[in-house]
Amino acid sequence: MDSIRDFPPATASSDGGRWFLLDVIKAIGCVLIVWHHLAVYSPMFDRAMWLAPDPLAALYNHGQLAVQAFLVVAGFLSAAQLLRFVPENAQGLPTGFSVPRLLAKRYLRLAIPLMAALTLTVCVTALVRPWYPHDSLSDAPRVWTLVVHALMLQDLIGVPALSAGIWYVAIDLQLFTIALGCVWLAGLIQLRQPRFNLRGVTVLLWLVLSALSLNWWNRQENLDVQGLYFFGSYGLGMLAYRVRLSRITAKGWAIIFVLGLFALWLEPRMRLGLAWGMALLLAAWPSTGSSVVAASRRTRWQRGISSLAQTSYSVFLVHFAVSLLVSAAWFHADWQDPWANLAGMCLSFVLSLFAGTMLYRAVEHRTATWGHLLQWQVAFGLSGGLALALT
């Protein structure tokens, strides 16, 4: 999600405006994911279902498709960041390019808010456990669980996650690592074969991995904890950004079109169709005029959408803890009325937005440093000790 938050110069106007389409996608995706998790993990949903069975069932069954939009946008913005190190006709990677430094920067920006949100989640879980017996509650974490979550390896090694949706954070780090590795590998290839175009080799590597993911890895359900499973959607976003920069636009369009069409012909998948359509939209949408909105000219609703987009990562991280607290209160009160439970879900959503804004201002918006990370890792460890003591 961190990659979704950063806006490179390519998506901004000269007067400081932002490409509003990206804000809209992130804001809608954030709302859908929060409500999807309310549907999946909150007992309030089962009682509210009586009010609108079909729309709420669709939210339960298909709300997670919003992740595909996040993947495409993340790939789009990662390409914008990485291609800055690979200018046209570049001979070798610039001195400012450092794989360890870029990986460390991405890890810190993802991990610091994650540690803060997990600290809250573990504390809330321990608080409500005695009077809220529900399957969504995780066990009190031991030292190994805390270490694995700090390294974002929980799903890869089969450790149950402490919060809903945090698998995406680990996947984001894996995807960025793969994309970054392609840039590094392209530099090695050009070093041995100077006649090769560095940017061309980089994009070709992204294209090959995207094709393999769309047509094979993404069809292997047992691989869904690995970044390669999702690289097809991520890669479509990267290729969409490349099309926007390309002088041979028709060729780029043809590649994205054929890539998605063949993968859908091979095995129709709703998630792939959404990712493909999103990539085509990003490639085609104009980046001038009304699509780029300067801060001084935004309407109130545009400012609201941009604010939600900016805090979407923090909202994503903290909403499960908020949902647990509200769901436990409603369960303890034993409110059976569907309207009361729908009101509880709405309250949970509003409080999630508020808590996400607070997390963004207090943690995510701060400069990401190793010292800052250590502070929240200590807090995370203490929350685990508290949870064990209360068990």
Side-chain angles (χ1 to χ4, degrees):
M1 283 273 214
D2 175 72
S3 56
I4 299 172
R5 184 170 59 84
D6 294 333
F7 283 82
T11 63
S13 67
S14 59
D15 62 353
R18 291 159 63 122
W19 200 25
F20 191 62
L21 175 63
L22 295 180
D23 281 352
V24 171
I25 294 171
K26 291 194 299 178
I28 293 175
C30 177
V31 170
L32 287 176
I33 288 298
V34 171
W35 276 97
H36 172 67
H37 285 162
L38 280 170
V40 172
Y41 297 108
S42 174
M44 294 184 291
F45 175 79
D46 296 332
R47 297 162 184 169
M49 269 283 287
W50 293 98
L51 299 175
D54 292 337
L56 290 177
L59 186 66
Y60 181 95
N61 293 320
H62 303 300
Q64 75 276 16
L65 288 174
V67 170
Q68 298 301 316
F70 279 126
L71 287 167
V72 174
V73 173
F76 184 90
L77 294 176
S78 290
Q81 177 186 358
L82 293 175
L83 288 183
R84 280 183 261 171
F85 294 102
V86 192
E88 291 286 359
N89 303 317
Q91 291 298 317
L93 293 167
T95 55
F97 179 84
S98 168
V99 171
R101 182 179 62 83
L102 289 171
L103 276 181
K105 182 179 179 181
R106 177 56 57 94
Y107 172 75
L108 286 174
R109 296 191 120 180
L110 290 173
I112 293 173
L114 175 64
M115 293 296 98
L118 286 179
T119 298
L120 176 63
T121 302
V122 170
C123 290
V124 169
T125 302
L127 174 67
V128 305
R129 192 188 310 278
W131 44 283
Y132 181 52
H134 195 264
D135 294 341
S136 61
L137 270 66
S138 59
D139 295 332
R142 300 187 179 275
V143 174
W144 175 241
T145 304
L146 297 173
V147 171
V148 167
H149 277 74
L151 297 175
M152 304 182 198
L153 296 174
Q154 66 279 352
D155 298 296
L156 282 173
I157 62 177
V159 174
L162 295 173
S163 182
I166 60 172
W167 62 269
Y168 180 89
V169 184
I171 292 297
D172 182 278
L173 183 62
Q174 291 181 46
L175 290 170
F176 183 78
T177 302
I178 295 169
L180 179 61
C182 289
V183 179
W184 175 79
L185 181 58
L188 288 183
I189 292 173
Q190 194 197 47
L191 191 63
R192 292 179 177 274
Q193 300 291 337
R195 69 180 185 277
F196 289 167
N197 180 276
L198 181 59
R199 175 173 284 190
V201 174
T202 298
V203 176
L204 179 61
L205 291 173
W206 291 344
L207 173 60
V208 170
L209 288 179
S210 299
L212 288 172
S213 177
L214 291 171
N215 297 301
W216 192 77
W217 288 316
N218 190 250
R219 298 168 59 207
Q220 314 302 315
E221 294 298 333
N222 61 315
L223 298 181
D224 63 356
V225 297
Q226 300 179 19
L228 290 174
Y229 178 89
F230 298 95
F231 198 86
S233 298
Y234 191 81
L236 284 171
M238 302 186 88
L239 295 173
Y241 182 81
R242 181 66 182 100
V243 166
R244 300 191 69 85
L245 296 180
S246 178
R247 297 175 182 175
I248 314 175
T249 306
K251 180 180 178 181
W253 270 100
I255 289 173
I256 295 180
F257 188 80
V258 172
L259 193 63
L261 189 63
F262 180 78
L264 285 172
W265 172 80
L266 192 64
E267 182 180 334
R269 284 154 281 170
M270 188 181 297
R271 62 180 183 271
L272 172 56
L274 178 61
W276 185 42
M278 191 65 63
L280 292 173
L281 177 65
L282 288 175
W285 199 268
S287 57
T288 58
S290 60
S291 61
V292 179
V293 184
S296 61
R297 298 198 302 269
R298 293 180 207 155
T299 63
R300 181 176 298 179
W301 72 272
Q302 287 173 330
R303 289 195 298 270
I305 288 175
S306 295
S307 177
L308 177 55
Q310 188 175 50
T311 61
S312 59
Y313 181 50
S314 289
V315 173
F316 173 80
L317 291 176
V318 80
H319 77 274
F320 182 67
V322 174
S323 172
L324 276 182
L325 196 57
V326 176
S327 296
W330 256 242
F331 177 85
H332 187 67
D334 195 26
W335 285 326
Q336 301 292 327
D337 181 72
W339 286 105
N341 283 275
L342 180 60
M345 294 176 69
C346 292
L347 176 64
S348 183
F349 173 70
V350 172
L351 290 178
S352 293
L353 298 185
F354 175 77
T357 301
M358 294 300 100
L359 179 62
Y360 174 79
R361 293 177 179 175
V363 180
E364 186 187 355
H365 190 55
R366 288 180 56 187
T367 302
T369 65
W370 290 106
H372 193 192
L373 174 64
L374 180 60
Q375 292 173 14
W376 282 110
Q377 286 179 332
V378 170
F380 183 39
L382 291 175
S383 70
L386 175 64
L388 282 173
L390 294 177
T391 302

